[in-house]
Amino acid sequence: MKSLYAFALLLLCSATFAQNIAIRGLIKDAATKEPVIAVSVGVQNSGLGTISNEEGVFQMTVPKTATIVMSFLGYKTKMVPVAEFKDETTIFLEQSEEVLEEVMVTKIPLYVYLREVVAISKARFNKPILLHTYYREFVKSNNKHVKFSDGLLDYHISGTTKKTKSDVVIKQNRSYLLVNDEEDEGSSSLQNLQTAISRSYEFRYFTERLLDEKHYEDYDFTLKSKKDKSGDEQYAISFEPKPEIEKPLFKGTVTFDPKTKLISEVEAVMAPSHMKYIGSINLLIARISILDSKYKAAFKIVNNNYFMNYCNRYGKMRIWNKKHDYLEESRSDLIVTDFEKDDLKYNKKEVYNKKRLFDKPTFFTEKFWQKNNAIVLTSEEEKIISSLEKEAASAPKTE
């Protein structure tokens, strides 16, 4: 009887597992036939999600009966049943037929309005929450790729409206490095996986430089309303440095729902017009000059849970001293592949406290980058990683 029960249980588990299948899609613009990058791809009424890569490709493991939802600002939301996916199915997104783009005037200053939107969005984030994510980072030194790392990271999010706490537990990871410790002195300031979510939840990537009493007067603000034929409306507050301000400042846009005042997307880049004012920082070991910086994050609501589902960061800096002078570029992507309510009972000893994933020895039990709704590698990225892997393996070992 026990053996029969065990056999029945095995059949049940196998049947349950078989309900999930792998799908792959290619997203293109219906008019131009060009790939659409960073499209939010998710399962309807579920936390499962990913994004399309720079070639418009995505992959997911999903229930057979699910419906895939694809959304991107400026395009109509597309819903496709999983049953319609065959091999690499091409999906065409149609651009929204905007019937109105209007410059809006408010009774209060726009920086005050933006503060209100930020405050409402910060208060709406669900905490505590466990975000299952895929994180990756590429680093170039003097225009050559020298580092790559990626992994499955669990972010345990807690804290208050004002202060977000995020504990990181790394489930699986891999790293390929071609630089020594001496050359690597300044790189930790480019990317920090510890703050990848907490800074986004606090909107610090632009509020620190934009909305405090010392900085908002450096910027011009514009509010636009976009409405399509279906009646859906989005507000966008753009900010740009005033021409007469001689500082290295940012420009960007914050997009939000005018009814709920919840932010759906934030984008900020160093304003090209003000890059000529970039200076340098004198550290004990070297001088550092930040030459460029870009940030983009997307947020969404699933089953009444409001959270960040994607973040991209890019930085470029010059690092020099008497021995070295080099340029370093770094870009990182973080996507939320699923989420769940967090009971905060995780093992605190497993929390990873270093800033960079590179510092953790490689450990994986499966090719996680090909599963788990990770970002699909482009053909160019596969070449980069393969080259780094071979060079790192053949490099002489140092004590």
Side-chain angles (χ1 to χ4, degrees):
M1 181 64 72
K2 288 184 178 178
S3 61
L4 182 61
Y5 174 76
F7 180 69
L9 183 61
L10 178 62
L11 285 178
L12 178 61
C13 292
S14 299
T16 301
F17 178 77
Q19 296 305 307
N20 290 332
I21 64 170
I23 62 170
R24 188 178 174 97
L26 169 60
I27 303 176
K28 291 185 175 183
D29 184 295
T32 67
K33 304 302 186 289
E34 293 295 319
V36 186
I37 303 167
V39 175
S40 176
V41 183
V43 173
Q44 187 179 29
N45 299 322
S46 167
L48 293 172
T50 188
I51 63 168
S52 59
N53 68 8
E54 292 185 0
E55 295 173 338
V57 178
F58 71 90
Q59 64 183 13
M60 295 186 73
T61 300
V62 297
K64 283 185 176 181
T65 57
T67 297
I68 305 302
V69 181
M70 287 152 281
S71 59
F72 192 75
L73 283 175
Y75 289 84
K76 296 178 181 178
T77 298
K78 184 94 171 184
M79 302 177 71
V80 181
V82 168
E84 294 185 12
F85 281 84
K86 310 293 182 185
D87 297 325
E88 185 174 281
T89 300
T90 300
I91 299 101
F92 293 99
L93 293 188
E94 296 180 0
Q95 295 186 21
S96 299
E97 298 178 15
E98 294 172 357
V99 295
L100 178 67
E101 180 176 89
E102 181 182 2
V103 177
M104 308 287 288
V105 178
T106 62
K107 295 180 180 179
I108 60 174
L110 286 179
Y111 74 88
V112 176
Y113 188 18
L114 186 53
R115 281 179 184 169
E116 180 185 359
V117 170
V118 168
I120 290 173
S121 297
K122 286 171 64 175
R124 182 63 178 78
F125 286 124
N126 295 68
K127 300 175 187 176
I129 192 170
L130 170 57
L131 301 180
H132 302 291
T133 76
Y134 170 76
Y135 175 89
R136 71 177 189 182
E137 183 177 350
F138 290 88
V139 175
K140 293 171 70 175
S141 181
N142 290 332
N143 297 315
K144 178 184 178 181
H145 280 94
V146 294
K147 289 191 281 189
F148 168 79
S149 68
D150 67 347
L152 302 181
L153 281 57
D154 278 355
Y155 280 87
H156 295 269
I157 310 298
S158 59
T160 64
T161 297
K162 291 183 178 181
K163 187 70 175 178
T164 297
K165 180 183 179 183
S166 61
D167 281 346
V168 185
V169 176
I170 300 173
K171 313 304 288 187
Q172 300 187 59
N173 70 290
R174 59 176 175 161
S175 297
Y176 303 116
L177 311 159
L178 297 182
V179 295
N180 59 43
D181 291 339
E182 190 176 76
E183 293 172 323
D184 198 33
E185 291 292 344
S187 63
S188 63
S189 58
L190 273 177
Q191 306 286 357
N192 184 343
L193 66 84
Q194 298 290 342
T195 61
I197 288 184
S198 59
R199 285 178 67 88
S200 293
Y201 268 47
E202 296 169 13
F203 300 102
R204 279 190 281 156
Y205 282 101
F206 69 95
T207 57
E208 288 178 337
R209 307 179 179 95
L210 183 68
L211 296 182
D212 62 32
E213 297 298 333
K214 296 180 180 179
H215 295 95
Y216 75 84
E217 291 183 341
D218 294 340
Y219 291 87
D220 288 323
F221 295 85
T222 305
L223 172 63
K224 289 186 178 181
S225 166
K226 291 185 178 182
K227 185 183 293 186
D228 59 30
K229 288 185 177 180
S230 65
D232 293 332
E233 187 174 25
Q234 289 279 308
Y235 277 9
I237 295 181
S238 300
F239 53 92
E240 192 162 350
K242 294 178 179 178
E244 67 271 19
I245 302 299
E246 298 182 356
K247 300 176 185 177
L249 299 175
F250 281 71
K251 60 178 289 187
T253 305
V254 180
T255 305
F256 59 97
D257 185 321
K259 296 178 181 177
T260 63
K261 295 184 180 177
L262 293 182
I263 294 173
S264 57
E265 187 174 282
V266 174
E267 189 166 9
V269 301
M270 290 193 74
S273 59
H274 285 60
M275 284 186 174
K276 58 187 175 184
Y277 303 118
I278 291 173
S280 64
I281 304 170
N282 189 18
L283 302 179
L284 292 176
I285 56 172
R287 292 187 69 85
I288 295 178
S289 181
I290 299 176
L291 304 179
D292 199 2
S293 180
K294 300 175 184 178
Y295 166 76
K296 183 175 182 178
F299 306 83
K300 66 179 181 180
I301 294 181
V302 176
N303 295 336
N304 206 34
N305 291 279
Y306 179 58
F307 59 94
M308 186 197 81
N309 68 298
Y310 171 62
C311 176
N312 170 267
R313 297 178 294 172
Y314 168 82
K316 182 178 181 180
M317 64 167 61
R318 178 190 173 200
I319 306 168
W320 73 99
N321 55 27
K322 292 181 179 180
K323 295 182 179 180
H324 303 282
D325 189 345
Y326 61 98
L327 292 176
E328 180 166 302
E329 294 177 75
S330 177
R331 68 178 177 92
S332 68
D333 295 281
L334 184 147
I335 61 170
V336 174
T337 58
D338 203 356
F339 70 90
E340 59 187 279
K341 185 175 175 59
D342 198 347
D343 59 11
L344 301 179
K345 293 181 180 179
Y346 56 94
N347 187 352
K348 302 300 190 294
K349 292 182 180 179
E350 295 181 351
V351 173
Y352 185 71
N353 293 312
K354 293 185 178 181
K355 295 180 179 179
R356 303 174 302 179
L357 190 57
F358 304 116
D359 295 324
K360 190 177 190 307
T362 293
F363 168 78
F364 56 86
T365 58
E366 61 177 353
K367 293 184 177 181
F368 62 84
W369 54 93
Q370 296 178 354
K371 304 176 181 179
N372 304 288
N373 305 340
I375 303 172
V376 178
L377 292 170
T378 65
S379 54
E380 182 62 28
E381 289 168 346
E382 286 181 343
K383 290 178 182 177
I384 292 168
I385 296 168
S386 178
S387 176
L388 284 173
E389 184 179 10
K390 290 178 181 177
E391 289 188 60
S394 61
K397 304 300 180 183
T398 58
E399 296 296 331

